Amino acid sequence: MQTEITKQQYELNKNLAQMLKGGVIMDVSTPEQARIAEDAGAAAVMALERIPADIRAAGGVSRMSDPQMIRGIQKAVSIPVMAKVRIGHFVEAQILEAIEIDYIDESEVLSPADDKFHIDKSQFKVPFVCGAKNLGEALRRIAEGASMIRTKGEPGTGDVIQAVRHMRAMTSEIRRIQNLKEDELYYAAKELQVPYELLRSVHENGKLPVVNFAAGGVATPADAALMMQLGAEGVFVGSGIFKSGNPAKRAQAIVKAVTNFSDPAVLAEISADLGEAMVGINESEIQLLMAERGI
Amino acid sequence: MRIGVLALQGGFIEHIQMLRSLQVNSFEIRKKEDLRTAMDGLILPGGESTVIGKLLKDLKLFDPLKEQIQNGLPTFGTCAGMILLARKITGTDTTYFGAIDIEVKRNAYGRQLGSFFTEAPFKGIGSIPMTFIRAPYIERAAPEVEILSEVDNRLVAARQGNILVTSYHPELTTDNRIHRYFIEQVK
């Protein structure tokens, strides 16, 4: 019976991610920012004390946010509230579950707490989203109980190149798996270090068994639409909004870009007169590659 | 027959797949130009009602859709779609289409940990699977509103004239009987 309930909870958690599709999830650090995000059309907010660009600038160990700060944001908005825990830090996850967070992001943006083991997410009722650079990472996270996947991208840079690389890697590997012969799947599962059943589901359905969002480095409506056209089902925007000149306007534009991602006329209209985008750091200038954390 | 599915945000693909399983044609509504296609029915999917409500207005879809709904277009709203169709939303003066005489409470079962799955009767159909995701329920309904499902004494599905609403997501299950019920209304 226990397993039946667990299975049902996992379905419900995947279902919530399905309802977030076609939406934008925005990083916010205060209740005011959360309200700006909600008014702009965010499908959910990610509550964190410092947005990735500031984490990157500040250096040092970065941890789960103060539950009181997260509660403040839960009170401020009616949309789902997510928050981040360090990779492998299952006690931070227990704490977020206790304050009834809607989704936990086991995130490479924070300093990893465990260099080997991710959280056994199947032990939790609350859903998890995890980052992945490729199909192998995505399926390993799903095997551990993640009910939603996002690209890692390179957070806090305003440079979309890594998110593009991760999404392209994922979709091209999915196409390769789809075209394998049945008897080749066993070897592919061994190669990718993933459970055979999950790989088989990718082979049959041509997609991950959970919703897949883009994240990391999205700074403009065009970036968001690019990720959608590359196959993302929705977009996380971190530093790109509140590090820009006019957060409310840019946030609204990114929301519309995700809805009408394949319509250049709409994209041209909403990309106009947005004020300054976040400054950004090029990939080659980065000291710390967060995407290399937790593979 | 052709059903328009509002595709601004949320679980619209699941509705399209359900309609496909019933061999019903559908198209996505993302912008005003999409309304040039005539439709026999409309589905408002689940998602975040604040997002869909805002995009409806920003993308200038709200007025033309409201007019068609008022003129009797058969319309089916699930979860967020139900909120968009309700006459009143508890605790706020914001309303959207106001097409069915019910008051709904948003996130009525709490946060994601309150989401649940159950099986319960739907009037005239029998027991069906119901998936509630951060779901609303109907707090009050006018006498003219026909109640179609109740779960734990809460009203979770209703119909009035051309409007059908459910708190839960039939499109997230493999059971297409509620969609078939809606299609029967469209015919």
Side-chain angles (χ1 to χ4, degrees):
Chain A
M1 200 56 207
Q2 184 58 42
T3 55
E4 201 44 46
I5 291 169
T6 314
K7 224 175 102 188
Q8 216 167 67
Q9 187 65 40
Y10 184 60
E11 281 306 312
L12 292 168
N13 289 342
K14 286 203 290 186
N15 288 158
L16 175 58
Q18 282 174 277
M19 290 305 137
L20 295 171
K21 279 185 307 183
V24 181
I25 299 167
M26 302 182 192
D27 280 2
V28 296
S29 358
T30 62
E32 291 70 42
Q33 287 186 356
R35 275 190 286 266
I36 291 171
E38 184 177 46
D39 290 344
V45 290
M46 178 76 70
L48 73 174
E49 274 157 359
R50 278 185 302 194
I51 55 177
D54 292 336
I55 291 175
R56 196 173 275 289
V61 176
S62 178
R63 310 176 178 91
M64 176 189 77
S65 298
D66 184 332
Q68 187 182 319
M69 171 266 173
I70 298 170
R71 279 210 188 96
I73 287 170
Q74 285 176 318
K75 282 202 192 90
V77 295
S78 66
I79 53 179
V81 177
M82 305 184 165
K84 292 183 192 291
V85 300
R86 286 178 267 177
I87 289 173
H89 206 314
F90 51 86
V91 175
E92 285 186 347
Q94 290 164 2
I95 291 169
L96 289 186
E97 184 169 67
I99 62 166
E100 296 203 30
I101 202 78
D102 292 299
Y103 241 98
I104 293 176
D105 184 0
E106 186 183 18
S107 177
E108 67 283 1
V109 171
L110 305 183
S111 307
D114 194 317
D115 56 6
K116 226 182 233 164
F117 300 103
H118 278 73
I119 296 171
D120 178 1
K121 294 165 274 289
S122 64
Q123 298 303 310
F124 289 80
K125 276 191 79 183
V126 77
F128 281 81
V129 54
C130 287
K133 304 194 290 289
N134 51 48
L135 183 61
E137 283 186 26
L139 294 181
R140 283 195 290 279
R141 297 298 85 78
I142 295 167
E144 294 156 2
S147 44
M148 179 177 183
I149 292 292
R150 54 169 177 76
T151 61
K152 286 178 167 173
E154 197 48 36
T157 62
D159 188 355
V160 81
I161 183 169
Q162 306 226 22
V164 167
R165 192 181 290 147
H166 302 163
M167 190 55 76
R168 278 196 185 274
M170 191 97 71
T171 51
S172 105
E173 282 175 311
I174 289 175
R175 282 193 302 275
R176 182 177 78 86
I177 298 303
Q178 262 187 296
N179 288 322
L180 291 182
K181 284 175 62 188
E182 302 266 310
D183 63 352
E184 293 168 339
L185 285 175
Y186 300 98
Y187 180 74
K190 187 176 90 173
E191 228 181 15
L192 287 170
Q193 301 177 32
V194 299
Y196 167 77
E197 288 71 27
L198 286 176
L199 197 68
R200 190 177 174 88
S201 136
V202 171
H203 174 68
E204 282 167 5
N205 303 308
K207 61 191 293 293
L208 292 181
V210 304
V211 166
N212 186 17
F213 269 46
V218 174
T220 66
D223 289 347
L226 173 69
M227 296 312 301
M228 293 296 287
Q229 289 197 27
L230 286 172
E233 295 179 284
V235 175
F236 284 85
V237 187
S239 320
I241 289 174
F242 289 100
K243 279 285 167 193
S244 75
N246 188 341
K249 197 169 179 189
R250 184 166 293 269
Q252 291 187 41
I254 292 176
V255 168
K256 279 185 218 155
V258 169
T259 297
N260 280 299
F261 64 89
S262 58
D263 189 321
V266 175
L267 295 174
E269 194 189 315
I270 59 181
S271 298
D273 192 29
L274 289 183
E276 230 165 304
M278 76 176 282
V279 175
I281 326 167
N282 288 307
E283 184 186 38
S284 52
E285 301 162 356
I286 307 174
Q287 304 294 322
L288 169 70
L289 266 183
M290 291 175 174
E292 292 308 322
R293 293 168 164 174
I295 54 172
Chain B
M1 183 194 298
R2 196 184 274 273
I3 306 292
V5 180
L6 191 66
L8 300 179
Q9 190 270 323
F12 49 87
I13 290 162
E14 291 78 359
H15 279 290
I16 292 169
Q17 285 162 349
M18 269 291 172
L19 293 172
R20 200 173 292 150
S21 79
L22 293 166
Q23 277 99 43
V24 173
N25 289 323
S26 63
F27 66 100
E28 294 183 359
I29 302 172
R30 290 174 187 266
K31 53 182 194 291
K32 217 178 157 188
E33 292 70 38
D34 296 331
L35 295 179
R36 286 186 197 140
T37 313
M39 58 181 149
D40 305 298
L42 170 66
I43 291 182
L44 307 179
E48 281 302 319
S49 60
T50 51
V51 181
I52 302 173
K54 179 179 166 50
L55 285 169
L56 273 170
K57 289 182 178 161
D58 287 358
L59 297 165
K60 313 247 182 314
L61 282 163
F62 185 76
D63 292 330
L65 282 178
K66 183 165 185 174
E67 196 186 320
Q68 290 199 49
I69 294 169
Q70 276 173 346
N71 288 340
L73 179 73
T75 304
F76 175 23
T78 60
C79 195
M82 171 165 110
I83 295 167
L84 295 174
L85 288 166
R87 175 91 6 119
K88 165 119 186 82
I89 303 166
T90 304
T92 166
D93 291 329
T94 308
T95 52
Y96 300 94
F97 295 117
I100 177 166
D101 260 322
I102 55 172
E103 175 177 338
V104 299
K105 186 174 177 189
R106 291 185 62 207
N107 301 333
Y109 297 93
R111 299 186 165 278
Q112 174 61 6
L113 287 175
S115 293
F116 64 102
F117 174 85
T118 190
E119 293 199 4
F122 185 98
K123 196 173 168 184
I125 292 185
S127 186
I128 60 152
M130 300 180 180
T131 300
F132 293 79
I133 304 293
R134 286 174 47 97
Y137 59 64
I138 302 169
E139 195 113 67
R140 259 178 290 279
E144 309 81 69
V145 175
E146 184 184 6
I147 302 303
L148 299 170
S149 315
E150 280 181 52
V151 171
D152 299 332
N153 298 318
R154 304 285 188 198
L155 315 179
V156 294
R159 199 189 131 192
Q160 183 183 18
N162 57 320
I163 309 294
L164 171 67
V165 293
T166 62
S167 298
Y168 49 89
H169 296 277
E171 76 281 10
L172 291 177
T173 68
T174 50
D175 189 322
N176 62 15
R177 284 177 294 168
I178 303 300
H179 284 77
R180 196 181 299 155
Y181 175 88
F182 173 62
I183 294 306
E184 289 301 321
Q185 318 289 317
V186 175
K187 275 181 187 163

